[in-house]
């Protein structure tokens, strides 16, 4: 075994002629890689897939790295996972092999990277995720009709509007925003929400404009927010990810253009598609608000703008978009809440 913890072994392959090398990696080296890799990635989901990809392979190959085991493992994950899962195995395994090359100077590890073929998306004539304004209206009308209490109607409709108007990541960003932060947001002129780096998957601090329709619903929700009606572990959080995700499962609303069930995460896609295909928003502004492609020059150019400038450009595109259906009246909902409070 060499000083890096690898044990090179040669074994005959008479069928093909010549020989190939295999390397046995010990657990301390794997631990060192995880320490290195995970320190550069903040998202918990990314941590999960980095560990899973590497450990699945090492258990599969009994901690040996060689051409045959990589090819067989690749066949396994391609048969088991769709494109997204395949892409995670592919990129994480390549990163691991590249790190081994840099650590040991052994070019064999870099050559082994070429075995891993990039996954291919199945060609589809129709985008499986295609969301437009009528779909958001249908979601909100379903909440209006099905949620059992005025408080839940107010909370869930506001949550849908927030995700649709801002395009933020449901789990890694929205699920961390507090009621107090939203209270401060709507007190600003213009109303803009500050997302600090610890509440963004890409560690990209940025301002998020708040649409006037959304501001009106946020103000009502904040005024009536009742922590006693929330689960203890999410008290103070404006929109719990698991609560919103379950809401969409319960509503089971199908997208008009594709017939596909709309999920909570699709609202981020709605924002992106509206910016791209309907409102023709500048890519830099779109990506800045969404914290997407944060290393691009377009996004960096918006990073230096004032919050009022971000808000002004957002309103030029989004100002006339009203995602609250006509039959869903906020004042009616507030009257119902007041009547309940009066009775209590």
């Amino acid at each position: 075994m060499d000083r890096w913890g690898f044990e090179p072994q040669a074994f005959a392959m008479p069928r093909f002629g010549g020989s190939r090398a295999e390397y046995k990696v010990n657990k301390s080296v794997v631990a060192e890689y995880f320490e290195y890799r995970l320190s550069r990635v903040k998202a918990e989901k990314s941590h999960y897939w980095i560990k899973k990809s590497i450990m699945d392979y090492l258990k599969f190959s009994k901690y040996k790295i060689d051409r045959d085991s990589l090819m067989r493992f690749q066949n396994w994950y391609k048969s088991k996972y769709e494109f997204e899962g395949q892409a995670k195995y592919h990129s994480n395994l390549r990163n691991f092999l590249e790190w081994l090359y840099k650590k040991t100077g052994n070019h064999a590890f870099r050559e082994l990277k070429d075995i891993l073929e990039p996954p291919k998306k199945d060609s589809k004539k129709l985008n499986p995720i295609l969301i437009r304004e009528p779909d958001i209206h249908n979601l909100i009308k379903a909440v209006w009709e099905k949620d059992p209490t005025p408080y839940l109607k107010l909370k869930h409709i506001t949550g849908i509007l927030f995700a649709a108007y801002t395009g933020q990541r449901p789990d890694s960003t929205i699920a961390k925003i507090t009621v107090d932060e939203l209270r401060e947001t709507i007190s600003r002129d213009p109303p803009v929400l500050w997302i600090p780096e610890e509440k963004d998957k890409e560690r990209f601090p940025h301002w998020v404009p708040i649409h006037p329709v959304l501001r009106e619903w946020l103000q009502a929700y904040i005024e009536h927010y009742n922590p006693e009606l929330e689960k203890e572990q999410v008290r103070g959080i404006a929109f719990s990810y698991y609560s919103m995700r379950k809401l969409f499962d319960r509503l089971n609303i199908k997208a008009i253009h594709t017939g596909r069930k709309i999920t909570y995460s699709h609202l981020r896609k709605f924002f992106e598609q509206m910016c791209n295909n309907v409102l023709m928003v500048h890519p830099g502004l779109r990506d800045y608000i969404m914290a997407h492609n944060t290393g691009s020059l377009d996004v960096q150019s918006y990073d230096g703008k004032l919050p009022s400038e971000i808000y002004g450009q957002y309103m030029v595109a989004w100002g006339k978009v009203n995602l609250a259906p006509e039959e869903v009246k906020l004042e009616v909902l507030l009257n119902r809440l007041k009547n309940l409070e009066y009775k209590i």
Side-chain angles (χ1 to χ4, degrees):
M1 182 176 293
D2 65 19
R3 66 190 182 94
W4 301 111
F6 298 97
E7 182 180 335
Q9 301 172 333
F11 56 97
M13 297 289 288
R15 181 178 174 185
F16 297 98
S19 66
R20 297 176 183 176
E22 70 175 23
Y23 295 85
K24 188 171 183 179
V25 56
N26 65 34
K27 293 182 179 180
S28 64
V29 172
V30 179
E32 183 182 346
Y33 173 71
F34 286 152
E35 182 181 3
Y36 160 81
R37 186 79 177 92
L38 301 183
S39 68
R40 286 156 172 76
V41 180
K42 300 301 180 183
E44 290 184 7
K45 282 188 177 179
S46 297
H47 284 205
Y48 168 81
W49 275 103
I50 290 169
K51 290 180 179 179
K52 177 177 173 57
S53 301
I54 304 307
M55 293 310 300
D56 281 357
Y57 169 65
L58 292 176
K59 290 176 182 177
F60 178 89
S61 66
K62 298 180 180 179
Y63 279 77
K64 293 179 181 179
I65 300 176
D66 64 89
R67 181 177 297 272
D68 286 345
S69 67
L70 279 169
M71 292 182 69
R72 288 186 288 110
F73 185 70
Q74 179 176 238
N75 292 339
W76 172 80
Y77 71 69
K78 283 191 173 184
S79 67
K80 184 176 177 63
Y81 290 90
E82 299 297 332
F83 175 81
E84 297 296 336
Q86 293 179 30
K88 289 179 173 64
Y89 277 104
H90 176 262
S91 62
N92 287 324
L93 286 170
R94 283 178 58 86
N95 284 335
F96 183 48
L97 291 169
E98 178 66 17
W99 180 83
L100 292 176
Y101 159 71
K102 290 179 178 178
K103 182 174 178 61
T104 65
N106 189 336
H107 285 274
F109 291 118
R110 182 167 275 181
E111 292 170 2
L112 287 171
K113 287 170 58 180
D114 294 336
I115 294 170
L116 300 169
E117 302 170 351
K120 296 180 180 179
K121 278 187 175 180
D122 294 334
S123 60
K124 297 179 180 178
K125 294 182 179 180
L126 185 64
N127 190 332
I129 304 173
L130 183 59
I131 311 292
R132 292 292 187 268
E133 292 176 72
D135 295 310
I136 307 301
H137 290 167
N138 287 341
L139 285 168
I140 293 174
K141 285 188 285 187
V143 172
W144 183 261
E145 295 168 1
K146 296 180 180 180
D147 263 4
T149 69
Y151 179 78
L152 285 176
K153 293 180 196 292
L154 176 60
K155 173 185 175 179
H156 289 152
I157 291 173
T158 306
I160 290 171
L161 290 172
F162 184 89
Y165 272 123
T166 68
Q168 300 306 291
R169 294 180 176 89
D171 192 3
S172 57
T173 299
I174 297 178
K176 298 177 183 177
I177 296 171
T178 66
V179 173
D180 287 341
E181 286 174 317
L182 293 178
R183 184 178 289 110
E184 182 180 358
T185 294
I186 63 174
S187 69
R188 293 191 179 107
D189 185 19
V192 285
L193 171 66
W194 174 245
I195 304 293
E197 65 177 59
E198 64 268 18
K199 295 189 177 184
D200 179 72
K201 180 181 178 181
E202 302 298 324
R203 308 288 292 179
F204 180 72
H206 59 287
W207 292 100
V208 177
I210 301 299
H211 193 279
V213 173
L214 173 58
R215 185 189 183 281
E216 186 179 18
W217 281 84
L218 279 174
Q219 183 169 356
Y221 173 49
I222 291 167
E223 288 176 355
H224 291 85
Y225 176 76
N226 187 347
E228 298 302 319
L229 297 177
E230 308 293 336
K231 292 183 178 179
E232 188 172 351
Q233 63 267 30
V234 296
R235 285 180 184 173
I237 296 296
F239 308 110
S240 162
Y241 172 72
Y242 295 102
S243 173
M244 293 297 295
R245 191 181 66 179
K246 288 179 181 178
L247 169 71
F248 278 69
D249 289 340
R250 188 172 74 249
L251 294 178
N252 195 28
I253 300 300
K254 303 294 194 300
I256 292 173
H257 299 286
T258 64
R260 182 176 180 178
K261 177 183 173 182
I262 303 174
T263 68
Y264 185 29
S265 62
H266 287 165
L267 298 189
R268 178 171 166 85
K269 197 68 176 178
F270 162 78
F271 180 88
E272 182 182 26
Q273 290 177 344
M274 284 289 289
C275 286
N276 292 347
N277 305 317
V278 179
L279 304 175
M280 305 305 173
V281 175
H282 188 281
L285 177 62
R286 175 203 66 208
D287 288 347
Y288 172 85
I289 294 172
M290 297 180 71
H292 183 62
N293 293 327
T294 54
S296 71
L297 293 177
D298 279 340
V299 173
Q300 294 301 318
S301 70
Y302 275 87
D303 191 28
K305 293 186 181 296
L306 295 171
S308 58
E309 295 170 335
I310 299 292
Y311 181 85
Q313 291 190 30
Y314 169 85
M315 285 300 294
V316 168
W318 279 88
K320 295 182 180 180
V321 177
N322 189 349
L323 298 179
E326 291 184 5
E327 55 267 55
V328 174
K329 305 290 185 182
L330 179 57
E331 57 270 23
V332 172
L333 198 53
L334 295 180
N335 285 334
R336 292 177 185 173
L337 281 166
K338 288 178 182 178
N339 289 336
L340 285 175
E341 292 168 358
Y342 177 77
K343 289 179 182 178
I344 294 172

